[in-house]
Amino acid sequence: EHEDTDLLLQPLPEGQNYGAAAADGTPCPAASVSRNSPAKRDCLVVAVLCFGNLINFIDWFIVPGILLDIQKYFGVSDGETGLLQTVFTLCYMLAAPIFGYLGDRYNRKIILGAGIFFWSGVTLGSSFITESHYRIFVLSRGLVGIGSASYSTIAPTIIADLFEEGKRTTVLSIFYIFIPVGSGCGYMLAAGMAKSTGDWHWAFRVTPCMGGLALLLLILLVPHRIQRRTAAHRALSISGTIRIADEKPDVHRTAKTTWCQDVGSLAKNCSFVCSSLGLTAMAFITGALGMWMPLFLHRAQVVQGIVPPCLRESCNSSNSLIFGGITIVTGILGIIAGAEAARRLRKINTKADPLICATSMFISALCLYIALMVAQTNILSTFIFIAFGELFLSVNWAVVTDILLYVVPPRRQSTAIALQILVSHLLGDAGSPYLIGVISNAVQAKNIPSLQWSFRSMQYSFIICAFVGVFGGGFFLLTSFYIEEDRKEAQR
């Protein structure tokens, strides 16, 4: 049964009156509805979704946190190591449209629960793979990506249905804070477990327990069905009325379009297309940084003589811990700053959101370029500029999603998010970790093997990220030319 036909009574923003109009136009008695209970329920739902998002991104970045150990354990090159994140992302992006289709038509709670159970189980199983089965380990990362796709595609649409536009940006900011927090915790958890146990496999045995808790909370605290908020629902909320259960005109108007029709409509939405390409540039950079930056920092320190080369059973994990901490702090500050800047500047300029994204991308690209250039001589300056690069990159996470949610009609939002995931990962972080590894291998192959060229090969391959950041800023600038018209069209 389609979710649009369920739970027709939607809680209204605090301070508005409750009432309903009968089918014949005569007013009905005002409904007596508790304001506190729905608000508490919505907060619990968001808390559960945020916890799931935390676990999701911890699982994403466990591998980069112990990349040195994994590379040595399986005896693979930079290019082969890059396959881990590439296969994960390819499976993630290919599964996203499927879950977007299902999320627009079937019960989202069941899909979320199945995804959490699946990726947690595969993560646990991957911790028992031996050194002679690297391909199976790569395959397991792909399966984890499929489970993660179900969550990243559907969870934001539930938040969009629970909150009006003003509050939605704030709540989405909270939700997306757990991207950098989870990413940083992934590095730190992996490095911490490898260091404390002396065996990197234990890093893959913690998050399945957290996933089991998230699944239990999802079952107990998230309603079985959450009403999809259509444009008509928003208009009714603004006027302070609720449609009674006997009135169902919107059900017929919001059902049924085919997936191809939805995709065709989205392809004509210039704001959606351009902002998705800007997000693709962000994904390219974050994928490359997330996979290779701790290893790059280690090689820079080796060249400077700060640390010795990794020759032991368990490699030095301090860079993963530091980079994880930087990711958490800059991610939280960046997302909060982006949401606050968007909230304030929207009152002045209706194009504020894409302009904020464009500016932050240009500054981030410059900071990353400087970080790469000073890495061989001053590691402290490298950490500082990497922190600023990640800070300005993080400004965009919640803002880009909010752009999608107000330029795309509500009944196409799951499909839109899924397509955005597909495009951004297909052209972004699906290929960037592997591309960086391949370029690094090619540079090393043309030069005499040495610690110096091991570092330089990674440095040269990373420079591409700075130029991709400039292109991303350009796409967000293009978005600003179309966003007002597309927003009005979505509201109509």
Side-chain angles (χ1 to χ4, degrees):
E1 184 179 356
H2 199 282
E3 289 184 14
D4 282 343
T5 63
D6 294 290
L7 297 180
L8 292 175
L9 295 183
Q10 177 71 17
L12 301 180
E14 189 170 349
Q16 293 182 353
N17 296 323
Y18 290 85
D24 59 2
T26 60
C28 294
S32 176
V33 182
S34 170
R35 298 181 184 181
N36 292 329
S37 181
K40 291 180 179 178
R41 182 209 67 178
D42 293 349
C43 289
L44 286 174
V45 171
V46 171
V48 172
L49 294 178
C50 288
F51 182 57
N53 207 32
L54 173 70
I55 303 168
N56 188 8
F57 281 89
I58 288 176
D59 270 335
W60 273 51
F61 289 93
I62 283 180
V63 167
I66 47 176
L67 197 61
L68 279 169
D69 295 286
I70 292 175
Q71 195 173 39
K72 185 179 179 184
Y73 180 80
F74 288 106
V76 291
S77 65
D78 286 350
E80 291 172 306
T81 305
L83 276 176
L84 285 171
Q85 205 74 348
T86 293
V87 170
F88 174 94
T89 310
L90 282 172
C91 292
Y92 175 87
M93 72 179 192
L94 293 175
I98 299 173
F99 288 115
Y101 177 88
L102 296 175
D104 280 337
R105 290 159 177 81
Y106 300 101
N107 188 282
R108 291 174 288 180
K109 178 178 176 178
I110 294 176
I111 298 172
L112 287 179
I116 293 172
F117 178 80
F118 181 75
W119 96 59
S120 297
V122 173
T123 299
L124 179 62
S126 66
S127 69
F128 298 100
I129 297 173
T130 60
E131 65 269 23
S132 59
H133 295 91
Y134 181 67
R135 292 183 180 180
I136 296 178
F137 187 73
V138 173
L139 176 62
S140 72
R141 296 307 297 167
L143 295 177
V144 172
I146 293 175
S148 296
S150 67
Y151 201 88
S152 297
T153 304
I154 294 172
T157 67
I158 295 178
I159 293 175
D161 288 339
L162 289 175
F163 297 93
E164 296 291 344
E165 186 171 315
K167 293 182 179 179
R168 188 178 64 209
T169 302
T170 302
V171 178
L172 280 172
S173 300
I174 296 171
F175 179 78
Y176 282 106
I177 277 175
F178 288 90
I179 292 179
V181 171
S183 303
C185 288
Y187 290 109
M188 299 174 77
L189 172 67
M193 290 300 296
K195 183 177 181 180
S196 61
T197 63
D199 183 359
W200 61 267
H201 292 88
W202 282 98
F204 292 89
R205 296 167 187 169
V206 177
T207 53
C209 300
M210 299 171 66
L213 176 59
L215 182 59
L216 180 63
L217 293 174
L218 182 76
I219 294 170
L220 295 177
L221 300 179
V222 177
H224 191 60
R225 293 187 184 276
I226 296 175
Q227 178 196 16
R228 295 189 181 280
R229 189 183 293 272
T230 65
H233 290 132
R234 291 183 179 125
L236 286 166
S237 295
I238 293 171
S239 65
T241 61
I242 311 175
R243 183 171 58 256
I244 60 174
D246 289 337
E247 292 185 282
K248 298 182 180 179
D250 285 332
V251 172
H252 299 289
R253 287 201 294 268
T254 58
K256 303 263 186 184
T257 56
T258 66
W259 186 80
C260 291
Q261 288 173 328
D262 290 345
V263 172
S265 175
L266 292 170
K268 298 175 184 177
N269 189 322
C270 295
S271 296
F272 170 74
V273 172
C274 291
S275 63
S276 295
L277 291 174
L279 181 64
T280 300
M282 290 172 55
F284 185 99
I285 297 169
T286 55
L289 293 179
M291 185 68 178
W292 292 111
M293 186 51 70
L295 184 62
F296 171 75
L297 293 170
H298 175 78
R299 291 181 180 180
Q301 290 171 333
V302 169
V303 169
Q304 294 183 36
I306 299 174
V307 298
C310 178
L311 302 174
R312 298 175 300 167
E313 181 71 20
S314 180
C315 300
N316 190 315
S317 56
S318 61
N319 288 310
S320 293
L321 293 170
I322 296 171
F323 186 68
I326 289 174
T327 301
I328 292 173
V329 174
T330 58
I332 293 174
L333 293 177
I335 289 176
I336 292 174
E340 183 64 18
R343 186 183 68 83
R344 291 176 180 271
L345 295 179
R346 280 174 193 162
K347 301 174 183 177
I348 304 172
N349 188 341
T350 55
K351 301 179 179 181
D353 287 353
L355 292 177
I356 289 171
C357 293
T359 303
S360 63
M361 284 294 288
F362 289 138
I363 297 175
S364 176
L366 177 62
C367 291
L368 291 175
Y369 182 81
I370 295 173
L372 295 173
M373 292 300 100
V374 302
Q376 187 173 359
T377 57
N378 192 324
I379 198 67
L380 179 60
S381 297
T382 303
F383 277 115
I384 291 172
F385 281 104
I386 286 172
F388 278 110
E390 286 206 303
L391 175 68
F392 284 101
L393 204 61
S394 298
V395 164
N396 294 350
W397 285 115
V399 181
V400 171
T401 302
D402 209 28
I403 289 174
L404 181 150
L405 292 172
Y406 64 66
V407 301
V408 174
R411 63 192 173 92
R412 292 194 177 108
Q413 286 175 355
S414 287
T415 298
I417 291 176
L419 283 176
Q420 194 173 75
I421 288 173
L422 175 64
V423 172
S424 63
H425 291 299
L426 176 64
L427 303 177
D429 56 345
S432 62
Y434 182 66
L435 179 63
I436 297 297
V438 168
I439 294 174
S440 177
N441 279 354
V443 173
Q444 291 183 55
K446 292 182 179 180
N447 295 278
I448 300 173
S450 66
L451 295 176
Q452 181 73 23
W453 278 110
S454 179
F455 161 75
R456 286 196 176 277
S457 65
M458 191 64 66
Q459 182 187 43
Y460 293 161
S461 58
F462 254 136
I463 290 177
I464 192 174
C465 292
F467 293 101
V468 170
V470 174
F471 280 108
F475 284 122
F476 282 124
L477 279 180
L478 283 177
T479 304
S480 68
F481 296 146
Y482 304 103
I483 196 164
E484 291 177 308
E485 181 182 346
D486 290 333
R487 183 171 187 166
K488 292 177 182 177
E489 179 65 25
Q491 289 173 345
R492 286 195 293 269

